[in-house]
């Protein structure tokens, strides 16, 4: 028996969609990418931090890996064990949008200069 994803749909901030899809926050870009790339939109909780990053919570590692494969190369992804709930392991795919040149942009900080004057983030990209 798999985890009942409807448990994520109890908050007034979470939207409920068909097939056990629950979303919170900014979700349209990543849902479109998943749909176009053939990922079956079912049994998933999507937490969209903004248009460029977020987390997909899924009931199995294989679904999390499949979601990551569907998002690549447009997004940088990382699959990890999200936690255990009611005796079931839940897996997550974190994603961050990539720029056309393949670099991962900072989704929150666009420019950052340290006190010593060294700029470490410029135009959303880490300066090396």
């Amino acid at each position: 028996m798999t985890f009942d994803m409807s448990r994520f749909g109890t908050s007034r901030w979470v939207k409920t969609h068909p097939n056990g899809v629950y979303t919170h926050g900014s979700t349209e870009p990543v849902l479109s990418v998943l749909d176009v790339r053939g990922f079956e939109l079912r049994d998933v909780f999507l937490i969209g931090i903004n248009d460029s990053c977020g987390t997909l919570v899924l009931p199995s590692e294989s679904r999390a890996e499949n979601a990551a494969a569907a998002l690549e190369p447009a997004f940088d992804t990382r699959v990890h064990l999200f936690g255990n709930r009611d005796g079931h392991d839940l897996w997550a795919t974190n994603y961050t949008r990539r720029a056309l040149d393949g670099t991962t942009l900072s989704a929150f900080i666009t420019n950052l200069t340290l006190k010593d004057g060294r700029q470490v983030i410029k135009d959303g990209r880490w300066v090396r």
Side-chain angles (χ1 to χ4, degrees):
M1 183 163 106
T2 63
F3 183 76
D4 181 13
M5 297 301 279
S6 68
R7 303 263 321 266
F8 287 109
T10 58
S11 168
R12 67 181 179 160
W13 305 108
V14 173
K15 292 181 185 175
T16 302
H17 306 274
N19 299 327
V21 175
Y22 302 90
T23 61
H24 180 274
S26 179
T27 60
E28 181 56 34
V30 75
L31 284 176
S32 296
V33 171
L34 289 168
D35 189 38
V36 167
R37 297 292 306 274
F39 181 78
E40 187 179 358
L41 291 175
R42 65 169 171 80
D43 301 325
V44 63
F45 178 45
L46 171 58
I47 307 162
I49 306 301
N50 58 36
D51 287 350
S52 296
C53 66
T55 300
L56 295 159
V57 180
L58 299 138
S60 69
E61 183 177 14
S62 63
R63 295 255 312 138
E65 292 286 349
N66 290 340
L71 291 173
E72 292 284 346
F75 293 85
D76 180 37
T77 61
R78 182 176 72 91
V79 174
H80 61 93
L81 182 62
F82 188 72
N84 186 294
R85 193 163 185 184
D86 297 334
H88 297 277
D89 286 342
L90 294 174
W91 290 83
T93 302
N94 295 350
Y95 62 89
T96 304
R97 183 183 307 278
R98 284 190 172 137
L100 290 176
D101 63 3
T103 59
T104 302
L105 304 176
S106 171
F108 302 102
I109 301 172
T110 56
N111 292 297
L112 180 64
T113 304
L114 300 179
K115 285 184 179 181
D116 64 4
R118 184 171 44 117
Q119 188 168 25
V120 292
I121 298 177
K122 181 178 180 182
D123 298 325
R125 292 181 169 84
W126 287 95
V127 177
R128 298 183 198 266

